[in-house]
């Protein structure tokens, strides 16, 4: 009987097995990246947590996910993320999963005067593109080089529903960068498909994280967002856990180039 026909593979334990997988998560010190990291750690992955916030990263490596390695890296620096991945390969011999998750807020959406087109500031624009777009690509590239050579791996990129359609809550730079990331995922999925390297995106809706300096954690400030969500609430970070585990696991063996919305129904409208 071939491995694929083995009925035991259909147990949740086998379908979602990630134990021992060498896994890097960027933006691991907060919000969705932390939830992804906790999920992978809870299921036995061999984790390297990457973030530019060294203080928070250290705290998480000591208190929340003890045993996880940490690396302070700015993903907007392609050489830095490449060196980090090369170092993991040198020490562990392989990289199985890369979560390219680090990102920043684009600031005010177009529903607010500060977000109107005439007020877009190019210094802020450049920061968002450097981290959310170039940083995501640099992270994909750093992982793909090795995954191609080892003929296997998973890359999961945190995009956004703000990259899938226009929205009053989204800033121009954020909309541009996240749309770019969605198509970078498809592009990389095509090139890497025959190398058994699968590349997918998660597109979250609104989640209660530290994005944007804590505005999303503020009940009153986020009340107007509820009306934009069919489920009438924001997501909590752990609600990203299931799809992240899926995309890293054997259950996703035939999934590549896909975008998974986790948005309480926003994009169904
Ligand atoms: N929270 C939401 O509503 C939402 C919605 C859609 C998409 N996203 C995306 O989810 C991802 C995670 O964001 P979050 O909501 O958890 O926010 P967050 O601010 O809670 O966490 C982001 C983490 O990324 C780190 N980071 C930022 N820039 C970095 C850089 N240049 N190099 C390394 N680390 C960096 C931060 O220090 C922080 O720890 C981002 O890509 C964001 O765009 C979030």
């Amino acid at each position: 009987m071939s491995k694929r026909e083995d009925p035991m593979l259909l147990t949740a334990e086998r379908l979602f097995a990630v134990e021992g997988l060498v896994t890097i998560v960027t933006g691991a010190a907060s919000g969705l990246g932390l939830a992804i990291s906790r999920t992978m750690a809870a299921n036995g992955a061999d984790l390297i947590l990457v973030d530019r916030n060294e203080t928070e990263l250290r705290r998480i490596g000591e208190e929340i996910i003890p045993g996880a390695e940490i690396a302070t890296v700015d993903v907007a620096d392609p050489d830095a993320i490449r060196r980090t991945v090369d170092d993991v390969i040198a020490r562990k011999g392989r990289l199985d999963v890369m979560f390219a998750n680090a990102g920043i807020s684009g600031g005010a959406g177009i529903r607010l005067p500060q977000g109107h087109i005439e007020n877009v500031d190019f210094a802020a624009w450049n920061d968002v593109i450097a981290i959310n777009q170039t940083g995501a690509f640099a992270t994909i590239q750093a992982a793909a080089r090795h995954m191609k050579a080892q003929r296997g791996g998973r890359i999961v990129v945190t995009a956004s529903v703000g990259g899938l359609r226009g929205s009053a809550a989204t800033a121009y730079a954020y909309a541009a960068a996240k749309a770019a990331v969605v198509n970078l995922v498809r592009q990389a999925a095509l090139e890497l498909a025959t190398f058994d390297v699968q590349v997918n995106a998660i597109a979250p809706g609104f989640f209660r994280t530290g994005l944007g300096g804590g505005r999303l954690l503020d009940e009153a400030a986020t009340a107007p967002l509820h009306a934009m969500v069919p489920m009438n609430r924001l997501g909590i970070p752990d609600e990203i856990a299931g799809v992240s585990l899926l995309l890293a696991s054997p259950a996703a063996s035939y999934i590549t180039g896909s975008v998974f919305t986790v948005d309480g129904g926003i994009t169904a409208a």
Side-chain angles (χ1 to χ4, degrees):
M1 194 190 295
S2 82
K3 223 177 146 197
R4 280 185 209 285
E5 288 160 352
D6 180 354
M8 285 306 290
L9 265 180
L10 299 180
T11 64
E13 199 187 347
R14 295 286 294 274
L15 281 169
F16 300 105
V18 296
E19 191 168 358
L21 296 185
V22 178
T23 301
I24 298 178
V25 182
T26 74
S30 176
L32 303 183
L34 178 55
I36 292 167
S37 302
R38 287 179 46 246
T39 309
M40 292 299 287
N43 288 281
D46 182 0
L47 269 186
I48 300 98
L49 312 178
V50 167
D51 206 286
R52 66 177 177 181
N53 184 341
E54 184 165 13
T55 313
E56 222 14 51
L57 203 52
R58 279 190 190 288
R59 188 183 71 79
I60 286 158
E62 282 163 20
E63 295 172 19
I64 302 188
I65 315 179
E69 283 186 26
I70 60 166
T72 308
V73 181
D74 181 346
V75 300
D77 176 352
D79 291 338
I81 186 70
R82 173 191 281 234
R83 277 195 305 272
T84 305
V85 175
D86 288 353
D87 174 62
V88 168
I89 298 285
R91 289 181 297 106
K92 299 189 181 272
R94 57 183 298 105
L95 171 64
D96 298 301
V97 187
M98 169 64 90
F99 284 96
N101 166 79
I104 58 171
S105 162
I110 59 172
R111 72 196 162 99
L112 299 171
Q114 315 89 281
H116 289 179
I117 198 159
E118 62 276 18
N119 294 327
V120 170
D121 166 70
F122 281 95
W125 168 281
N126 288 338
D127 277 350
V128 174
I129 300 296
I131 297 174
N132 292 9
Q133 182 174 323
T134 311
F137 180 69
T139 308
I140 295 170
Q141 185 198 49
R145 289 168 62 226
H146 295 287
M147 289 178 174
K148 229 173 149 175
Q150 76 192 14
R151 293 197 162 259
R154 301 286 175 85
I155 300 173
V156 183
V157 183
T158 309
S160 169
V161 296
L164 300 178
R165 85 265 182 269
S167 164
T170 305
Y172 279 99
Y174 195 83
K178 292 298 186 181
V181 153
V182 166
N183 221 34
L184 285 173
V185 161
R186 297 191 185 110
Q187 195 71 3
L190 282 188
E191 187 194 336
L192 303 175
T194 54
F195 294 87
D196 275 340
V197 179
Q198 293 157 249
V199 190
N200 292 293
I202 299 173
F206 303 119
F207 276 74
R208 292 208 184 279
T209 70
L211 200 71
R215 269 181 296 125
L216 289 164
L217 298 169
D218 181 338
E219 285 278 349
T222 52
L225 298 179
H226 290 203
M228 302 172 80
V229 187
M231 286 181 74
N232 202 33
R233 66 172 176 88
L234 275 68
I236 56 163
D238 283 355
E239 289 179 305
I240 213 80
V243 73
S244 8
L245 184 64
L246 163 70
L247 292 174
S249 74
S253 58
Y254 197 55
I255 300 175
T256 197
S258 293
V259 183
F260 288 74
T261 54
V262 185
D263 66 356
I266 292 176
T267 45

